[in-house]
Amino acid sequence: MSTIVTTAGRTNEEFIENAKRIATELSIPYMKRKKQSVKTMQEAYQLDILVVNKERLELHAYGVTTPFFFHPNSAAFRLKRLLKGEHDVFLQATNLQKGDRFLDTTAGLCSDSIIAAHAVGDTGNVLSCEVNGMIAYIVFKGLKNYQTEFNELQSCMRQVDLVHQDALEVLKVAESNSYDVIYMDPMFDEIIEESSNFETLRKIGEHSLLTEEWMEEAKRVARKRVVLKAHFRSEQFQKFGFRQFERQTSKFHYGVIEL
């Protein structure tokens, strides 16, 4: 056991029942808040605390100062730019088309998957894999329940299918050429200071580097291309034969293997 569930400071019977239901779904204990601060509960139990608020779930990881919760993040303003006719470098790298099948092997907050959903449209398919169970649960609930007046954004979030699975295991059982684009955005092996909003995600998420097996399976399953996003100094571009798209004003680059 590494996590317990509780409610927000101000709660009612509805929130309590919801917290208990979530605890049952995740097979982890529910603890009454008893007007304690999250920090006090963390110190008492020395565990992560999943707080059930009215509008979202917040994971307060033990020893981390900022909580992890779902938010469409950069996908919101990126989508607004796309609707104005501006370009998106992720879509340039993936070259997604209407009706394409897209597999994101490193879901995280699913920002890129949301943009992919816009690109492939209603006839396409977007599947995202997240190996960390708690991140997967919080983001899955966020994708399905987050409310916004930005209708296109909400539609794209609902279209993303997020699964709690190891990406390599998903690739191994997938048929050859069954996805048009395979995408991978592993935790950067070098910290990008401007990305401070990902502090908690970096600390609780998986930090797996690409492997030969992962790459071979990705190339087998992809019909059009495999795309990597990584720090511009990453050795993975050259190691695995990616054609690196250099971006002078950005600390991360995209790499493409066309099939």
Side-chain angles (χ1 to χ4, degrees), residues 102-110 113 126-133 135-137 139 143 160-174 179 182-186 206 214:
F102 174 80
L103 174 59
D104 184 349
T105 61
T106 48
L109 282 165
C110 284
S113 287
V126 175
L127 176 64
S128 294
C129 309
E130 175 53 56
V131 68
N132 183 290
I135 293 174
Y137 186 85
V139 176
L143 289 168
V160 176
D161 184 12
L162 175 65
V163 294
H164 169 216
Q165 282 185 269
D166 178 82
L168 181 57
E169 297 308 311
V170 172
L171 288 168
K172 283 181 175 179
V173 299
Y179 285 89
I182 307 293
Y183 180 62
M184 45 199 69
D185 177 13
E206 301 293 328
W214 192 348

Side-chain angles (χ1 to χ4, degrees), residues 6 24 28 39-40 45 84-85 94 123 125 149 157-159 166 170 187 202 218 222 229 234 243 249 251:
T6 192
T24 300
I28 56 179
K39 184 177 180 180
T40 298
Y45 298 107
K84 291 179 181 178
T94 56
T123 58
N125 176 265
E149 294 181 357
M157 287 191 293
R158 303 295 189 264
Q159 188 177 337
D166 178 82
V170 172
M187 292 287 182
R202 286 185 59 83
K229 176 183 177 183
S234 175
R243 178 165 57 93
T249 60
K251 290 187 177 180

Side-chain angles (χ1 to χ4, degrees), residues 50 57-59 68-72 106-111 113-114 128-130 132-146 157-158 160-163 201 204:
L50 181 63
L57 302 175
E58 290 185 359
L59 179 64
F68 173 78
F69 57 90
F70 173 79
H71 189 277
T106 48
L109 282 165
C110 284
S111 296
S113 287
I114 294 170
S128 294
C129 309
E130 175 53 56
N132 183 290
M134 194 59 64
I135 293 174
Y137 186 85
I138 292 171
V139 176
F140 177 84
K141 292 294 184 180
L143 289 168
K144 302 308 176 188
N145 299 322
Y146 188 91
M157 287 191 293
R158 303 295 189 264
V160 176
D161 184 12
L162 175 65
V163 294
L201 181 59
I204 66 176

Side-chain angles (χ1 to χ4, degrees), residues 48 50 65 74 76 110 187 209 215 222 227 233 240 243 246 255:
D48 297 344
L50 181 63
T65 56
S74 64
C110 284
M187 292 287 182
L209 294 178
M215 282 302 307
V227 179
R233 284 195 292 256
F240 294 108
R243 178 165 57 93
E246 296 185 359

Side-chain angles (χ1 to χ4, degrees), residues 8-198:
R10 293 185 178 182
T11 190
N12 56 37
E13 286 302 318
E14 180 183 354
F15 295 162
I16 291 171
E17 289 304 312
N18 188 32
K20 289 180 178 179
R21 177 182 56 78
I22 290 171
T24 300
E25 290 179 3
L26 294 172
S27 299
I28 56 179
Y30 162 78
M31 299 291 183
K32 291 183 179 180
R33 184 68 179 262
K34 296 181 180 179
K35 298 183 179 180
Q36 300 175 91
S37 69
V38 170
K39 184 177 180 180
T40 298
M41 294 185 72
Q42 283 181 320
E43 291 175 350
Y45 298 107
Q46 296 189 10
L47 297 170
D48 297 344
I49 312 291
L50 181 63
V51 177
V52 180
N53 287 314
K54 180 180 180 181
E55 297 180 350
R56 68 190 190 194
L57 302 175
E58 290 185 359
L59 179 64
H60 294 257
Y62 184 68
V64 180
T65 56
T66 55
F68 173 78
F69 57 90
F70 173 79
H71 189 277
N73 202 45
S74 64
F77 66 79
R78 288 168 65 191
L79 187 53
K80 288 179 180 178
R81 289 175 179 173
L82 284 168
L83 294 175
K84 291 179 181 178
E86 299 179 28
H87 76 278
D88 185 276
V89 66
F90 160 76
L91 292 184
Q92 287 182 315
T94 56
N95 194 32
L96 287 167
Q97 306 296 318
K98 296 296 183 184
D100 276 353
R101 289 171 54 81
F102 174 80
L103 174 59
D104 184 349
T105 61
T106 48
L109 282 165
C110 284
S111 296
D112 287 324
S113 287
I114 294 170
I115 298 301
H118 168 74
V120 304
D122 294 339
T123 58
N125 176 265
V126 175
L127 176 64
S128 294
C129 309
E130 175 53 56
V131 68
N132 183 290
M134 194 59 64
I135 293 174
Y137 186 85
I138 292 171
V139 176
F140 177 84
K141 292 294 184 180
L143 289 168
K144 302 308 176 188
N145 299 322
Y146 188 91
Q147 297 295 319
T148 174
E149 294 181 357
F150 189 178
N151 293 332
E152 178 65 17
L153 176 62
Q154 184 161 298
S155 176
C156 290
M157 287 191 293
R158 303 295 189 264
Q159 188 177 337
V160 176
D161 184 12
L162 175 65
V163 294
H164 169 216
Q165 282 185 269
D166 178 82
L168 181 57
E169 297 308 311
V170 172
L171 288 168
K172 283 181 175 179
V173 299
E175 296 182 5
S176 298
N177 303 316
S178 55
Y179 285 89
D180 294 283
V181 178
I182 307 293
Y183 180 62
M184 45 199 69
D185 177 13
M187 292 287 182
F188 290 117
D189 34 5
E190 293 196 41
I191 295 174
I192 298 177
E193 296 300 334
E194 291 85 348
S195 299
S196 58
N197 57 318
F198 286 98

